[in-house]
Amino acid sequence: MATSIETRPATKILTDRINRIQVSATMAVVAEAAKLREGGADLVDFGAGEPHFPTPEHIKAAAIDAIQKNFSKYTAVPGTQELRKAIVVRHAADFRSEYEPEETIASTGGKHALFNAIQVLVDHGDEVILPVPYWVSFKDIIEYAGGRCVMVETDEAKNFRLTAQMVEDAVTPRTKAIILNSPNNPSGGVMTPDDLRSIVEFAHQRGIFVISDECYVYLNYTGERFSVGSITDAKEHLVIIGSLSKTYAMTGWRLGYALAPAPIVAAMNKLQGQQTSNPASIVQKAAVAALTGPQQCVDDMKADYIRLRDRIVGGLTAIPGITCTRPQGAFYAYPNISSFLGRGGMHSAGDVAKRLLHEAHVVTVPGEAFGSGEHIRISYATSEKEIDRGLDRMKKFFAAL
């Protein structure tokens, strides 16, 4: 006698939240370039978002010393008291901020700190104002949390300027946070202190959080280095994301931090305690050396970036059809290549970047990754020789279209 077997409804394997986000576009470029290198291609790499300098010697020495002294056990989840104190003291000295060690948390890179901050602040249906162009991970981290991105186009003709009025026009009753990133990745744009103050004060008055990604805050070429942390009367609604990666050429060390009101730090600490726990103990000792040691290395690297910036912008603007704003910080140029769209079968910045990679062997990142379809991002954190080689290849490529 045949028996009926109750079939179980098909269940999905992956969660909605993981399906809301995309693979990092910058990591995808790195992977594709790596495949070409393995095949013997001689590439000029303008894609990497990291300093070309080695980590300064005194920082490396501190890590070696930590290893020799067996400083290799777990620490408190938000980092050692020594490190947290070093973070707030350095920030206060450089930016006149007023934080206590209990108002900071060290994480495994600035991206980790940003992820945790958004996860504890942004709930399903909350809106987050995101200026365009934006760093590639902002959008996906917000959407992973269930938030909705409200895009605000910046003014390219004015070096991608963002004003308080532009932000105010995007605010709704569901606005929970505003993302700021100055100096900006990918455009290299730097917000004026007046614009930053206006936005922070406007947000504070309305109970809206400002999450300020200051990963490149020390690579500000305007001569007026500024952090929103100095706006102490708005501290209640500020979350500052910092990183040692770019400032001290420590990308692979993975040490970032957040400065925020104690209840937010406590929530981030709770979340991090269920993720990674503390940043690597040895890296924490290196970070203390970076923050408390000589700072001349920071100024020296910045001076070199300015020289490289001038070289690459001059070369890009000499290519007929390309325009490029003058980056005021970070180490990226963001040339506008829209005049070439529709030529040679290229209809997007992604098409341009792909052909530059495969035909000219120049690695760039397409603007779609940053919310704009008429640009490519070029990192000039490399040698003069590589900049010249890359510019020569790009000039020949675009001339042939």
Side-chain angles (χ1 to χ4, degrees), residues 280-303:
S281 57
I282 294 158
V283 172
Q284 291 188 55
K285 284 292 188 181
V288 170
L291 293 162
T292 62
Q295 301 298 299
Q296 186 60 44
C297 57
V298 178
D299 292 332
D300 290 344
M301 286 188 277
K302 184 174 79 168

Side-chain angles (χ1 to χ4, degrees), residues 137-158:
S137 292
F138 286 140
K139 177 177 178 290
D140 290 284
I141 293 175
I142 292 164
E143 292 180 348
Y144 184 84
R148 175 177 172 267
C149 297
V150 177
M151 308 300 184
V152 175
E153 295 287 339
T154 55
D155 188 347
E156 181 175 2
K158 296 181 179 179

Side-chain angles (χ1 to χ4, degrees), residues 196-211:
L196 284 166
R197 283 193 195 94
S198 295
I199 292 171
V200 168
E201 289 169 0
F202 158 82
H204 177 59
Q205 291 166 6
R206 288 157 180 78
I208 298 170
F209 284 92
V210 169
I211 302 173

Side-chain angles (χ1 to χ4, degrees), residues 49-51 53 55 108-109 243-246 248-255 280 283:
E50 62 179 337
F53 300 103
T55 304
T108 309
S243 171
L244 274 63
S245 292
K246 277 68 176 184
Y248 300 103
M250 293 177 68
T251 50
W253 297 73
R254 310 310 302 135
L255 200 293
V283 172

Side-chain angles (χ1 to χ4, degrees), residues 62-75 280-283 285:
I64 293 168
D65 186 60
I67 293 170
Q68 295 295 344
K69 292 180 177 177
N70 297 313
F71 188 74
S72 55
K73 306 296 185 183
Y74 294 130
T75 73
S281 57
I282 294 158
V283 172
K285 284 292 188 181

Side-chain angles (χ1 to χ4, degrees), residues 203-270:
H204 177 59
Q205 291 166 6
R206 288 157 180 78
I208 298 170
F209 284 92
V210 169
I211 302 173
S212 182
D213 180 349
E214 299 184 358
C215 177
Y216 297 92
V217 71
Y218 289 93
L219 298 180
N220 181 335
Y221 310 146
T222 67
E224 194 170 7
R225 195 164 67 191
F226 184 83
S227 165
V228 298
S230 66
I231 311 172
T232 55
D233 57 354
K235 183 177 168 183
E236 179 186 354
H237 292 105
L238 281 178
V239 178
I240 297 170
I241 305 298
S243 171
L244 274 63
S245 292
K246 277 68 176 184
T247 308
Y248 300 103
M250 293 177 68
T251 50
W253 297 73
R254 310 310 302 135
L255 200 293
Y257 60 87
L259 296 163
I264 295 175
V265 167
M268 293 174 67
N269 184 27
K270 180 167 65 172

Side-chain angles (χ1 to χ4, degrees), residues 121-134:
L121 284 176
V122 177
D123 218 336
H124 286 269
D126 287 342
E127 293 181 354
V128 180
I129 293 175
L130 183 59
V132 180
Y134 49 78

